[in-house]
Amino acid sequence: MLATLDPQKYRSFFRARFSIARVVEIFTDPLLIVLCLLITATWYGERIEAHYIILGLIAFSLTFPGNLQLSDSPARMTRKTVVDWVLVAAMLLVFGYASGYERFYPDKVIFTWLAATLVALPLSHYLIRANMPRALSASGVKTAVIVGGNDLGVTLANQLLTSDYSGIRPLGVFDDRTIERLNLGTRLPFLGRMSELAEFVKHKRVDHIYIALPMASQPRILSLLDELKDTTASVYFVPDIFMTDLIQGRMECVAGMPVVAVCETPFTGLDGAVKRVSDLVLASIILVMISPLLLACAIGVKRSSPGPIIFKQRRYGLDGREILVYKFRSMSVTENGDVVKQATKNDARVTPFGAFIRRTSLDELPQFINVLQGRMSIVGPRPHAVAHNETYRKLIKGYMVRHKVKPGITGWAQVNGCRGETDTVDKMEARIRYDLDYLRNWSLGLDLWIIVKTFLVVAVKGDQQAY
């Protein structure tokens, strides 16, 4: 059967068809950035010539597609917008001064543009969030029915019911099971059996049909599609693979055939290169800046107790391969065997100087050398001792997925309070949830935010959870 498939027929499968809301999300930021540039240049009496057009095209390319996500909370939206624009602005400034092209633009124009855009982007996002539901209503809300009252269908229906930006209103659910066997809640009507679907769609002029049946129901799905050919409704299939915990889930094409990525690293292709280059640049700069601090810590460790200055511990790295991670030794022992006892409060093994560098996270500084070696990244899931990995991988579902990326010096879990002793499975599960959330939502802007937040947490509060 597969040998007779023609990959050419699937080319249209990957054509992007965007809703109004998605078009707004994609184009708002790039267009607004260019508009701010043109307005600023005009304000200062500059003529819009080729060099401004080129700068506008560069800024558009760096920010396309836009960073606006209407489903984000206002706080998350603002943080992403500010961090990403600061990153883009820094790139433009560094490139401009390194190449000498900054001489084509007055400083007052460039810095006014950067500052004005920093204000305009979040403001435009708030205005769009406030007015998008009204705009979608004016353009006409689409009606939809869900085929399948299972968890997948109910989840989709609830998402549509609670979203102000989908422009789709679910009418209810069709299923061959009785309403007593379904868990639809009070907001989602049961509309009937699937044999009644086609007539309902024609009579009610339904716009969209979402088929949320399990893949095992292929004959029933094909029969249903045949019946729906006599309607004008748009038909969508919601595959039940999306009820699993997707990591970087997306559509791809392999040798002309459509495939769905269910669990994948975010660092493939260009994203992988961006991650590695940012690690090398930042780690090199940081190591130069902290070299006096490294020397002071080394002297402190040496004078605090007998033993090596650097503690090398076996940990799991990318793809679950063992790596050696460097830390300043903070204990009087260097345990690295099959059983490793985690540090606890008032642990007798921790030296006085070791307690200080653990509390201030100075013991982690040698790991910037691991970053240059390619074993670690600046931001990523924190590496656990091999002995701990072997224990928790058997207890926590999805534990090893965190190893699809390099371990980090700091991570999303750590800046959200999940640091220190994990003496219960619940604490480790909380840490893993943040790690997987990082894999799903990675961006260079998120990395920079985690770095900034790490500095604030350590500098302002200190690390009270590190024993």
Side-chain angles (χ1 to χ4, degrees):
M1 178 68 178
L2 287 176
T4 64
L5 292 176
D6 181 6
Q8 300 299 320
K9 70 185 286 188
Y10 292 105
R11 284 182 176 176
S12 62
F13 189 81
F14 294 97
R15 291 176 185 167
R17 294 174 172 85
F18 298 127
S19 64
I20 294 175
R22 186 57 185 147
V23 169
V24 171
E25 289 177 334
I26 289 174
F27 286 100
T28 293
D29 286 6
L31 291 177
L32 183 60
I33 289 167
V34 174
L35 181 61
C36 285
L37 173 63
L38 298 180
I39 291 175
T40 303
T42 304
W43 177 269
Y44 283 106
E46 292 285 300
R47 296 177 59 183
I48 307 302
E49 296 180 335
H51 56 291
Y52 279 106
I53 301 299
I54 292 173
L55 179 57
L57 289 174
I58 293 173
F60 186 94
S61 300
L62 289 174
T63 55
F64 183 85
N67 196 39
L68 172 60
Q69 294 288 334
L70 293 171
S71 59
D72 285 342
S73 66
R76 179 181 174 88
M77 179 186 68
T78 302
R79 186 261 300 167
K80 287 170 55 179
T81 302
V82 170
V83 171
D84 284 2
W85 177 240
V86 169
L87 174 63
V88 170
M91 292 172 60
L92 291 172
L93 290 174
V94 170
F95 175 77
Y97 283 103
S99 63
Y101 286 132
E102 91 284 352
R103 68 180 184 275
F104 291 103
Y105 311 96
D107 287 347
K108 60 184 179 181
V109 172
I110 294 300
F111 288 106
T112 301
W113 168 51
L114 297 180
T117 303
L118 187 63
V119 175
L121 286 175
L123 181 61
S124 68
H125 291 183
Y126 281 107
L127 292 174
I128 289 171
R129 286 174 63 93
N131 293 282
M132 180 59 71
R134 189 183 311 161
L136 291 173
S137 298
S139 63
V141 175
K142 302 292 185 180
T143 56
V145 294
I146 314 295
V147 181
N150 49 32
D151 290 343
L152 181 63
V154 172
T155 299
L156 173 61
N158 287 333
Q159 290 287 95
L160 293 174
L161 285 169
T162 56
S163 174
D164 294 326
Y165 310 107
S166 68
I168 300 171
R169 177 171 61 90
L171 300 177
V173 170
F174 283 87
D175 200 293
D176 282 341
R177 293 173 292 176
T178 62
I179 190 172
E180 291 77 18
R181 296 177 58 193
L182 302 176
N183 184 25
L184 302 182
T186 57
R187 301 179 61 188
L188 198 60
F190 176 70
L191 301 177
R193 298 176 62 84
M194 283 187 278
S195 59
E196 303 169 308
L197 173 64
E199 191 62 32
F200 179 91
V201 169
K202 286 188 286 186
H203 180 68
K204 296 292 186 180
R205 297 184 179 274
V206 175
D207 298 302
H208 294 167
I209 301 169
Y210 294 97
I211 300 176
L213 298 175
M215 291 182 178
S217 304
Q218 182 184 9
R220 186 165 50 162
I221 293 172
L222 294 176
S223 174
L224 191 63
L225 291 175
D226 195 52
E227 294 175 14
L228 293 174
K229 287 179 180 178
D230 192 35
T231 73
T232 58
S234 300
V235 182
Y236 300 87
F237 179 59
V238 187
D240 56 359
I241 60 166
F242 294 108
M243 287 306 292
T244 188
D245 191 13
L246 292 185
I247 304 295
Q248 292 293 317
R250 59 182 179 270
M251 298 297 302
E252 291 187 357
C253 187
V254 176
M257 292 294 293
V259 297
V260 179
V262 176
C263 184
E264 175 61 294
T265 173
F267 306 128
T268 57
L270 183 59
D271 285 340
V274 170
K275 178 71 167 176
R276 182 59 182 149
V277 169
S278 65
D279 276 341
L280 288 173
V281 172
L282 290 175
S284 300
I285 294 173
I286 291 172
L287 278 171
V288 171
M289 294 175 61
I290 66 173
S291 54
L293 189 56
L294 291 173
L295 179 60
C297 288
I299 295 173
V301 171
K302 192 64 177 177
R303 295 173 67 91
S304 64
S305 64
I309 294 174
I310 298 296
F311 172 44
K312 301 177 182 178
Q313 189 175 43
R314 296 185 301 118
R315 301 197 175 184
Y316 279 164
L318 181 65
D319 294 327
R321 299 188 182 96
E322 282 193 16
I323 60 172
L324 285 178
V325 172
Y326 302 153
K327 296 180 67 172
F328 281 124
R329 182 176 56 83
S330 58
M331 295 185 177
S332 56
V333 297
T334 54
E335 296 172 340
N336 198 23
D338 294 333
V339 177
V340 177
K341 180 184 176 183
Q342 285 189 317
T344 58
K345 194 170 185 178
N346 301 319
D347 197 316
R349 298 172 299 166
V350 179
T351 65
F353 185 77
F356 167 72
I357 61 175
R358 290 173 73 91
R359 186 171 60 253
T360 55
S361 294
L362 295 176
D363 62 324
E364 312 282 0
L365 294 183
Q367 289 168 23
F368 285 104
I369 299 174
N370 291 134
V371 174
L372 295 182
Q373 293 172 329
R375 298 177 186 174
M376 295 180 65
S377 181
I378 293 178
V379 178
R382 283 293 298 156
H384 301 150
V386 172
H388 299 155
N389 270 33
E390 293 304 318
T391 298
Y392 286 112
R393 69 187 300 179
K394 301 171 185 176
L395 300 175
I396 300 176
K397 184 179 179 181
Y399 179 91
M400 291 301 291
V401 175
R402 69 198 300 273
H403 293 292
K404 295 194 72 65
V405 299
K406 293 176 184 177
I409 297 175
T410 185
W412 190 228
Q414 283 63 48
V415 297
N416 282 284
C418 297
R419 178 170 168 77
E421 184 184 8
T422 49
D423 52 346
T424 66
V425 175
D426 289 344
K427 288 183 179 180
M428 183 61 81
E429 284 180 337
R431 183 179 292 189
I432 300 306
R433 282 197 297 271
Y434 279 111
D435 288 342
L436 298 186
D437 186 55
Y438 171 77
L439 266 64
R440 294 187 198 98
N441 301 297
W442 175 84
S443 69
L444 190 55
L446 178 59
D447 273 4
L448 293 176
W449 173 245
I450 292 173
I451 292 172
V452 170
K453 197 170 181 182
T454 299
F455 174 78
L456 293 176
V457 169
V458 174
V460 176
K461 298 180 180 180
D463 196 346
Q464 302 300 325
Q465 293 174 292
Y467 305 138

